[in-house]
């Protein structure tokens, strides 16, 4: 059989590409090396029987606000969002916490003296959010909604450390935690914009969790794909495109280097050179916990939050992220935490809770940062270690071994600094197209990391506009 398209890799972007092609009435097959679909959106019993952990992504602000996902009937295919009371809490050393929630008024009150400054900053972005999301989660050329995008760029192009000067109390800490998701120094251009995207997405659509784990997102995409006539083949590792069935186009939910290795001589020298030059960012050290009780956070808002940013002040977070960029382990790292079982009882048996935590570390290092991570949790939740039943630590090398797309433990699909923030995987007007009949659809293409499916959706549209017309 000859397919219109074969997709290699069943991560969220590979599945999004396949769904886009199937919705256009074309035949499509997805081939995945693992025994289940999902890539970075999978769940598994990592610590104890019956305790479900998210293997990589756990919290999904960009999935909730994704222009593509919002057009899909994923709820009809088993996906249910869980929305915590507070989307994000940022504990501080005085025992309080800044709370980001869908209610802008609640967030403004939480920020105290910086509340009005935060409202003035984000309210205009919230008003234009649907247009902005459509533009920000799309290829940079041609620009969508250029006027809204230009207005956003006035603040979004700034380093987070510069935009933070608007605040005089707790607002700079909130912005720092949001911007630190970029995995680059907070003094870098565009880190303010990356932080604002996550913050405003929280106000508009929240930072939800998938009921039963992130695997539910992948499972819903697979269910919808097969309802459209698409096919999925699991447990088949592709080592050469020669082993794939005949297809008019091939799409790869892989990194640039892995893709050109598979393509061999079908990749042009220019494409191969750009793939070899593609840069990856810092990795992460991740810990999954089974707990005997919820975390004893000092701040009440932290107990009611689905996600937490641990690091304290802007200065402390910026210093820790710079240390990692310089190739060292931060002694007091910025730590991201999710506590899903507080809001989703399907994650663990009665009396048991789950915790997901990671910090940034140098790429490819075998550093076990568990001591530093737990010190940061204890800093804001004294007695945390007393409720730990089991823990599983995974270093950057462990993460890459389990998912080759996580090169050096980089969960962002490539560094987001300098030109590579916009020119992914290379500087071209056709970022998804690798040559005749070959497309890259992974997070190494615009708009980058996040379980939002937009990379796959745009790559598939590029294929539909060329070979599959």
């Amino acid at each position: 059989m000859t397919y219109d398209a074969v997709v290699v890799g069943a991560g969220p972007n590979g599945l999004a590409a396949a769904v886009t092609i199937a919705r256009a009435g074309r035949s499509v097959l997805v081939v995945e090396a693992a025994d289940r679909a999902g890539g970075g959106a999978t769940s598994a019993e990592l610590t104890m029987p019956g305790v479900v952990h998210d293997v990589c992504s756990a919290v999904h602000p960009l999935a909730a606000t994704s222009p593509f996902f919002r057009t899909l009937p994923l709820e009809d295919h088993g996906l249910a969002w869980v929305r915590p009371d507070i989307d994000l809490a940022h504990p501080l050393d005085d025992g309080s916490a800044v709370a980001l929630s869908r209610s802008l008024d609640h967030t403004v009150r939480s920020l105290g003296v910086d509340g009005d400054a935060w409202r003035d900053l984000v309210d205009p972005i919230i008003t234009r959010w649907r247009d902005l999301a459509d533009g920000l989660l799309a290829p940079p050329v041609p620009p969508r909604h250029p006027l809204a995008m230009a207005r956003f760029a006035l603040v979004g192009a700034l380093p987070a450390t510069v935009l933070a000067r608007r605040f005089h109390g707790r607002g700079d800490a909130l912005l720092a935690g949001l911007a630190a998701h970029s995995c680059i120094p907070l003094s870098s251009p565009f880190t303010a914009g990356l932080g604002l995207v996550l913050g405003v997405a929280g106000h508009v659509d929240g930072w939800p969790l998938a009921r039963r784990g992130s695997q539910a997102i992948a499972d819903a995409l697979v269910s919808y794909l097969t309802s459209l006539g698409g096919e999925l083949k699991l447990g088949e590792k592709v080592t050469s495109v020669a082993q794939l069935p005949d297809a008019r186009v091939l799409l790869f939910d892989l990194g640039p280097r892995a893709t050109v290795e598979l393509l061999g001589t079908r990749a042009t020298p220019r494409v191969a050179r750009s793939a070899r030059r593609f840069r990856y960012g810092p990795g992460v050290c991740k810990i999954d916990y089974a707990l005997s009780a919820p975390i004893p956070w000092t701040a009440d808002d932290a107990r009611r939050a689905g996600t937490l940013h641990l690091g304290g002040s802007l200065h402390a977070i910026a210093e820790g992220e710079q240390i990692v960029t310089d190739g060292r382990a931060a002694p007091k790292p910025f730590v991201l935490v999710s506590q899903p079982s507080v809001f989703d009882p399907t994650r663990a048996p009665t009396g048991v809770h789950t915790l997901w935590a990671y910090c940034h570390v140098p790429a490819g290092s075998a550093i076990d940062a568990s001591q530093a991570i737990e010190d940061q949790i204890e800093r804001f939740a004294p007695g945390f270690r007393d409720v730990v039943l089991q823990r599983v630590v995974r270093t950057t090398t462990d993460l890459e071994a389990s998912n080759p797309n996580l090169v050096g433990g980089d969960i962002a699909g490539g560094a987001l600094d300098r030109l590579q923030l916009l020119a992914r995987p290379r500087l071209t007007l056709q970022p998804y197209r690798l040559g005749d009949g070959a497309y890259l659809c992974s997070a190494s293409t615009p708009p980058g990391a996040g379980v939002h499916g937009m990379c796959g959706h745009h790559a598939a549209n590029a294929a539909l506009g060329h070979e599959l017309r």
Side-chain angles (χ1 to χ4, degrees):
M1 175 179 179
T2 297
Y3 292 91
D4 288 313
V6 170
V7 180
V8 179
N13 282 309
L15 294 172
V19 165
T20 301
I21 290 168
R23 290 175 95 187
R26 307 296 198 274
S27 60
V28 59
L29 168 69
V30 182
V31 181
E32 167 59 43
D35 59 2
R36 57 184 169 175
T42 54
S43 306
E45 297 179 358
L46 301 176
T47 57
M48 298 168 59
V51 180
V52 177
H53 301 273
D54 290 323
V55 173
C56 188
S57 62
V59 185
H60 304 288
L62 297 183
T65 204
S66 166
F68 175 58
F69 280 178
R70 289 172 66 86
T71 69
L72 307 183
L74 297 183
E75 289 77 7
D76 296 339
H77 292 266
L79 178 62
W81 291 118
V82 175
R83 300 186 180 276
D85 300 336
I86 292 172
D87 293 285
L88 165 71
H90 188 120
L92 300 170
D93 287 309
D94 63 3
S96 68
V98 181
L100 177 77
S101 68
R102 292 180 299 285
S103 168
L104 178 57
D105 289 339
H106 180 271
T107 304
V108 165
R109 290 193 297 271
S110 173
L111 284 166
V113 297
D114 281 336
D116 288 340
W118 181 260
R119 187 192 298 276
D120 291 343
L121 178 62
V122 302
D123 205 24
I125 303 174
I126 292 170
T127 301
R128 302 189 297 270
W129 179 244
R130 292 300 174 215
D131 285 348
L132 275 171
D134 188 46
L136 292 167
L137 296 178
V141 179
R144 300 187 182 186
H145 312 288
L147 183 57
M149 293 284 286
R151 288 173 176 169
F152 177 77
L154 294 175
V155 292
L158 296 173
T161 50
V162 173
L163 184 61
R165 295 171 189 167
R166 293 190 177 204
F167 303 113
H168 304 285
R170 302 147 64 92
D172 58 355
L174 174 62
L175 179 63
L178 294 167
H181 282 257
S182 65
C183 307
I184 59 176
L186 303 193
S187 57
S188 301
F190 295 102
T191 46
L194 292 167
L196 286 173
V197 165
L198 291 175
V200 172
H203 288 313
V204 176
D205 293 304
W207 285 28
L209 313 163
R211 184 173 176 81
R212 303 188 316 277
S214 296
Q215 184 72 53
I217 301 173
D219 290 348
L221 285 166
V222 169
S223 176
Y224 183 47
L225 172 64
T226 55
S227 77
L228 295 169
E231 301 176 34
L232 172 66
K233 183 180 291 187
L234 298 173
E236 182 167 329
K237 182 175 176 60
V238 178
T239 58
S240 168
V241 293
Q243 76 188 78
L244 296 172
D246 291 338
R248 296 171 63 190
V249 299
L250 300 176
L251 296 101
F252 298 88
D253 188 6
L254 306 172
R257 297 174 193 170
T259 299
V260 298
E261 287 177 8
L262 288 180
L263 285 172
T265 56
R266 289 182 58 176
T268 66
R270 181 179 181 184
V271 167
R273 284 195 302 271
S274 69
R276 287 192 290 270
R277 290 196 299 264
F278 188 78
R279 293 176 294 101
Y280 286 89
V284 303
C285 177
K286 178 175 179 286
I287 312 178
D288 292 285
Y289 294 90
L291 310 175
S292 62
I295 300 176
W297 301 108
T298 300
D300 178 65
D301 280 348
R303 300 177 188 225
R304 300 168 52 213
T307 304
L308 296 102
H309 288 167
L310 309 183
S313 68
L314 176 144
H315 174 76
I317 294 172
E319 181 180 37
E321 293 298 282
Q322 184 63 58
I323 288 172
V324 172
T325 300
D326 293 341
R328 295 174 288 129
K332 293 184 177 180
F334 171 65
V335 177
L336 291 96
V337 171
S338 173
Q339 48 185 7
S341 59
V342 174
F343 310 95
D344 180 7
T346 69
R347 302 292 187 104
T350 302
V352 179
H353 284 274
T354 66
L355 177 69
W356 171 103
Y358 75 78
C359 73
H360 301 137
V361 294
S365 68
I367 293 170
D368 179 345
S370 55
Q371 179 71 39
I373 289 172
E374 292 188 359
D375 286 347
Q376 289 289 61
I377 299 175
E378 282 274 351
R379 174 180 170 187
F380 302 105
F384 161 70
R385 287 187 173 94
D386 296 336
V387 302
V388 174
L389 296 173
Q390 296 285 343
R391 63 172 63 77
V392 172
V393 181
R394 293 194 298 164
T395 66
T396 65
T397 51
D398 298 325
L399 291 167
E400 184 172 358
S402 66
N403 183 346
N405 274 5
L406 305 180
V407 177
D410 179 358
I411 61 174
L416 294 170
D417 59 344
R418 300 185 302 221
L419 188 61
Q420 199 166 276
L421 173 65
L422 301 175
R424 298 168 71 86
R426 66 192 191 284
L427 185 60
T428 174
L429 295 178
Q430 300 183 55
Y432 309 100
R433 200 162 187 246
L434 302 175
D436 290 343
Y439 293 82
L440 191 66
C441 66
S442 69
S444 299
T445 63
V451 180
H452 46 61
M454 298 304 298
C455 305
H457 175 59
H458 292 309
N461 278 333
L464 288 167
H466 287 87
E467 286 86 352
L468 299 181
R469 283 184 293 183

